Amino acid sequence: MSHYDFIVIGAGVIGTSVAHHLAAQGAQSVLVIEQGTIGAGTTSQSSGLLRTHYSVRQNVELARSSWWAFNNFAEYVGDDEASCGLVKCGYLICSPEGDKLEPLHASLAAQQDMGIEVRLLDKGEAHERLPIASFDDAALIGFEPEAGFADAYLVATGFARSARRRGVRIMEGVKVTDVVREGRRVTGVATSAGNFSCGTLISTQNIWTPELAGWIGVPLPVKPERHTVLALECEGAAYSFKMPAFKDLGSAGMLYYRSYGGSQMLVSEGVVGETLNSPETEQGDISLDYVAEVGAQVAERFPAYEIAGLASSWTGVYDVTPDWNPVLGKVADIEGLVVGFGFSGHGFKLSPGIGKILAQHALGQPTDVSLAPYALDRFASGALLVGKYGSGAVS
């Protein structure tokens, strides 16, 4: 049986980030096992938004360190040809009068206190940056210039190439079927390609995390939740790459927007989606009624889009925990196991920072951001990481 110091399950953007950071910090013997291909699971369905705006301070810290990685991706992975497809367009967020106003004010102030550049704009300044939008109802508008969007698949494959250059072995098309244990210690995995032993197992299984729960006999609170993304086209009001990504806290679906190139706008909801009975990444049905409902919300903020056409659509799946924040670190009294799951729509944005602190933890090093708030036992103790905006991906 082949032995590795570290085995990582999953080669999405989190798993490949962990592998890169393990190798970059000196790990000599690392195996990554992926049931499909690199970045082809939920990573490939990401809309790619990047921002540091969160209402949970620890998430802001992780997002800030991750932004530096995205903004300097070739240097970060040590490859002059690497690209994450970054479009640095900034990020606008606004709220009308109502229950989202004070959370937005507090979150913007917290970012500023942490030294993050955030500007408060009036309606005219906001309209100059996003001239296709109406801000008539806006009571508070924040603008984060160091933000934008990137390509999650490019990031995952970039991390994977970096890991391989540093000696990491990545096996694609191999499914883990069980863990191997000696008492309460995980000592390896059983797979479709045979058994492998390890010193530490790191699970980044995303929506397939319930499989791990069954193998170790410990409940892991995560569910797969499907969300829909629409690409709308409006020739008379093109959403250009120069225009900022935008979060509308005043819309019923807490919609977020960004350019999708040409004259297209990408839009999706930031609220609870459709809970699935089992993990799957297949495309779900998108009804015309749903398109009309979201389209009506879009037209309230972007009046010209009242006559926009639907260019394309797809669905993506989040691994959602009860408080919409991830679980990072150890699991109960199980030794030799580190987990990262339940990213609830944050995974890509935080992937460099998450990969680094999980690697640090696995290596027995101090972590750049404390794992304590992300501990599994918070669900039993009631110390939840609940965002100020309620359930949704702005946490």
Side-chain angles (χ1 to χ4, degrees), residues 46 51 54 317-320 324 342-349 393:
S46 172
R51 53 173 165 79
Y54 285 96
V317 183
Y318 295 172
D319 55 333
V320 176
W324 279 73
F343 295 99
S344 308
H346 317 310
F348 173 58
K349 302 172 188 65

Side-chain angles (χ1 to χ4, degrees), residues 10-14 16 34-47 152-153 156-157 172 204-208 279-283 314-318:
V13 73
I14 299 295
T16 55
E34 166 56 45
Q35 63 183 346
T37 58
I38 295 167
T42 58
T43 292
S44 66
Q45 300 170 341
S46 172
S47 59
Y153 180 77
T157 54
E172 299 176 83
T204 62
Q205 291 173 258
N206 199 271
I207 59 174
W208 293 274
E280 60 178 72
T281 56
E282 290 79 7
Q283 289 299 294
W314 69 91
T315 59
V317 183
Y318 295 172

